[in-house]
Amino acid sequence: MIKKDAHGVKVIGVCNYCKEEMPADSKKNGTTGLKNHLARRCKLSPLYQRGDETQSVLNSETMGGGLFPQTFNQKRSELKCVMFLIKDEMPFRVVEGSGFRDFITELQPSFKIPNKKEIAAGVWDLFLVEKAKIMSLIGDQRVSITTDTWTSIQNINYMVVTAHFMDNDWKLHKRIINFTKITSHKGDDIGRCLEACLNSWGIDKVFSITVDNASANDEVVEYMAKSLKSKNTIMLDGKYLHMRCACHILNLIVKDVLMELYNSIEGIRNCVKYIHSSPERLAKFRDFVFLEKNEKMANVLMDDVTRWNTTYKMLDGALKYKKVFSRMADDNAYFVAYFNEYEKDAKEGLVKRVGPPVEEDWENAQALVHFLKKFYDTTLKLSATKTCTSNLVFTEMVGLQVEIEKKMKDGRDPKLQRVAFSIKLKFEKFWGSFETVNKLVFVAHVLDPRYKLQMLKIIFRNLGAEPTKIDFVVSEVKKCMLTLYNEYKGSASIGSLQLFDLQDEDAKDELDGDDAQSQLVRDLLQQIKEEQLADISNEVDKYFADPFENALNKGFKLLDWWKGNQSRYPILSKIAKEIFSIPSSTVTSGNAFSLGKRIVDPFRSSLTPEMVEALVCTCDWLRADEFCFYKEPTDEELEFYKQLEEIQAISSTAQTSTNQSPPPHSSSTS
């Protein structure tokens, strides 16, 4: 564009995007101004950039806080890209997708997107860096271990090893340290692999190994006990090394009871299957619900027969619509016909479908749900990974036992009483004899200053245990504590002098001499040992003699209490730190396998076992202090989904009525 002003002719350029005018005289301004305008000032221009690599941009912290200057950095951006793929479980090919590339180019055109091979190399490098950090965090302290095995869709056997420990600030840590290939599921093979995994991490001090009740795991623990004894790093001579998964015990009890009530449960399950078999059947079910309860978007979740917690939720949901299903059995011919069909059974071939449920089935389900709720709540508490759970095992198991016996004595509800008797038999099979329970379970309870040793006696007495058995168990618990105290005190106080006295043969020969120096050293060692034995009794007895903490204090925090009393109980606090690091369940292994299934999916089945381990472990480490995105939906989330479905249904109805209504200004007679 050419314009005239008082000074003569002036060449003006006009931006095609924002229509801004600017000098464009080739002799005076050239094209630099035009380029700068398109790249830096015109936000409508496709060439517009927020800044270059050297210009700082104000950014904010992810979780709040002030602004800070940030400049583009290729290496840092590549690292964030690798972390994104690991944490969000994305396949490596994502970086080569056109959508991802367009998105990144829009955000930062200067970023050179790495290819799949570069991403794989970045994953391995990050795995090694994070592993070094965790090795430094663990240091030389003892850890408690959980382990389990799994077979992937590649038909490769994997073993997961998870380390549980506390740092100096009494913060509980859970880290998957290995997700490695194993040759078989035999105990000795797993034991050798576990030993190699711990050696690769430089871990030779293991306090406990928590596993489920599989027979092979007994062999694993025996193998590890021998290995740790050979290194002279095992505590209590390995007597209490083996911890059984409390949640697995509950799982076995519940599954046995579910089998006894199979027909009642299967009849209700088939009702739920029916309403989910087609949209029309679900709509018809909702029509019946509306007639009974005036509820439009009713639903009952399907269960996974391999997971009893989903069966509990299904039964609990179905019981709310008991009258609806009964009415469908009377008024809906298709519903009745569904139960007259035959289906395949693995053992008996073609059999008539179980159901519809009768009144007795609903009563059985109601009684069962009462107990499943108790077991479900206990499982949630004992499977927590962010808080210590070893101190909860005893009280939770006792609480279940009290509830079972209470319902056994209550004759007002025969169905509930019968289910209680059935659960009691299964419960005693795994938990009935306190003499055989790992004594560390009781030690964890005793180290809670709200209960201590005195409360242990009271609980046993209220459960009706024989006085001789009570005395035996309590004395064993105190003996276990004193032995632990002795071992910790010995390693902390005697140190090199004890090693000198016990292991150096030449030194022993010198101490056998009659000279004054040898006698002085002998007297010194004897004095240290006498003081040690006195301190053992004093600190343990002091803890038991000190006042109880208020058991009704809902704000009491166990780890904070011990952290604040380290100076009062210097050795006992070290024992408490180890005891409270023990996991009560192997749920972390199950979570690792769920993660493994998502990583080793059909699209990534060609990943090497080493890369699978790097992805699983690094994902766990990067998410350690974050909210876990992959979990079962909560009741609040399910209610939210239900509201969304209702909104969509209303929107769909409105759209249909709009499409069917006559166009505006049209005549009804035309």
Side-chain angles (χ1 to χ4, degrees), residues 624-668:
D625 297 319
E626 296 182 0
F627 175 79
C628 182
F629 294 99
Y630 299 97
K631 63 174 188 175
E632 293 183 5
T634 63
D635 293 338
E636 290 78 8
E637 289 171 334
L638 293 175
E639 182 63 26
F640 174 69
Y641 300 147
K642 182 177 176 181
Q643 293 174 0
L644 282 181
E645 187 181 0
E646 188 170 3
I647 293 171
Q648 291 172 349
I650 295 173
S651 176
S652 177
T653 303
Q655 183 65 33
T656 303
S657 62
T658 301
N659 294 338
Q660 293 177 350
S661 61
H665 308 298
S666 64
S667 172
S668 59

Side-chain angles (χ1 to χ4, degrees), residues 366-498:
Q366 185 70 59
L368 183 60
V369 163
H370 173 84
F371 288 105
L372 290 183
K373 173 80 165 62
K374 306 294 183 183
F375 278 74
Y376 178 73
D377 292 341
T378 298
T379 300
L380 287 182
K381 291 180 182 178
L382 297 183
S383 59
T385 58
K386 300 290 186 182
T387 56
C388 62
T389 58
S390 57
N391 63 306
L392 302 177
V393 177
F394 179 66
T395 53
E396 289 298 321
M397 290 297 190
V398 167
L400 287 176
Q401 188 170 349
V402 169
E403 179 65 21
I404 293 168
E405 293 182 353
K406 176 182 176 183
K407 295 304 177 185
M408 285 173 56
K409 298 175 183 178
D410 188 356
R412 293 175 297 177
D413 191 337
K415 293 290 181 182
L416 201 61
Q417 191 176 37
R418 185 171 66 85
V419 173
F421 270 105
S422 178
I423 293 178
K424 174 69 173 178
L425 293 175
K426 311 299 180 184
F427 195 85
E428 287 186 340
K429 177 182 176 182
F430 298 101
W431 189 257
S433 177
F434 288 120
E435 300 97 311
T436 60
V437 175
N438 191 315
K439 297 303 178 289
L440 295 184
V441 171
F442 303 129
V443 172
H445 175 78
V446 165
L447 286 175
D448 189 326
R450 294 172 294 179
Y451 306 119
K452 300 191 180 182
L453 198 63
Q454 295 88 327
M455 190 62 68
L456 194 65
K457 297 179 183 179
I458 296 173
I459 293 175
F460 282 142
R461 196 178 302 124
N462 291 340
L463 289 174
E466 298 177 6
T468 54
K469 288 186 177 181
I470 295 176
D471 293 340
F472 172 77
V473 174
V474 170
S475 64
E476 284 292 303
V477 172
K478 188 168 184 179
K479 180 181 177 181
C480 178
M481 287 188 67
L482 289 172
T483 306
L484 271 174
Y485 194 93
N486 187 14
E487 294 185 16
Y488 274 80
K489 179 73 174 179
S491 61
S493 297
I494 296 180
S496 60
L497 282 176
Q498 184 188 44

Side-chain angles (χ1 to χ4, degrees), residues 547-604:
F548 288 79
E549 291 295 319
N550 186 0
L552 300 178
N553 180 9
K554 295 182 179 180
F556 179 79
K557 295 183 179 179
L558 181 62
L559 298 184
D560 288 348
W561 188 91
W562 275 103
K563 180 181 176 181
N565 285 273
Q566 285 185 97
S567 58
R568 186 174 180 82
Y569 311 109
I571 304 302
L572 206 56
S573 63
K574 294 180 181 179
I575 299 174
K577 183 179 286 188
E578 309 289 4
I579 292 290
F580 295 143
S581 297
I582 299 175
S584 301
S585 75
T586 58
V587 67
T588 51
S589 300
N591 290 342
F593 296 146
S594 298
L595 176 58
K597 289 177 184 177
R598 295 193 297 270
I599 288 177
V600 191
D601 62 17
F603 300 100
R604 291 189 287 182

Side-chain angles (χ1 to χ4, degrees), residues 344-375:
K344 290 183 179 181
D345 183 81
K347 296 181 179 179
E348 302 179 13
L350 286 176
V351 295
K352 185 175 176 293
R353 184 173 282 121
V354 179
V358 296
E359 185 63 27
E360 183 180 4
D361 295 326
W362 291 110
E363 290 176 357
N364 287 337
Q366 185 70 59
L368 183 60
V369 163
H370 173 84
F371 288 105
L372 290 183
K373 173 80 165 62
K374 306 294 183 183
F375 278 74

Side-chain angles (χ1 to χ4, degrees), residues 6 59 67 70 99 101 106 144 150-151 154 196 219 268 315 347 362 397 402 522 562 575 619:
N59 204 343
L67 297 175
Q70 179 175 327
R101 288 182 169 273
E106 179 65 24
S144 288
W150 169 68
T151 302
Q154 305 163 300
E219 299 176 20
I268 297 174
L315 293 175
K347 296 181 179 179
W362 291 110
M397 290 297 190
V402 169
R522 284 198 298 269
W562 275 103
I575 299 174
C619 183

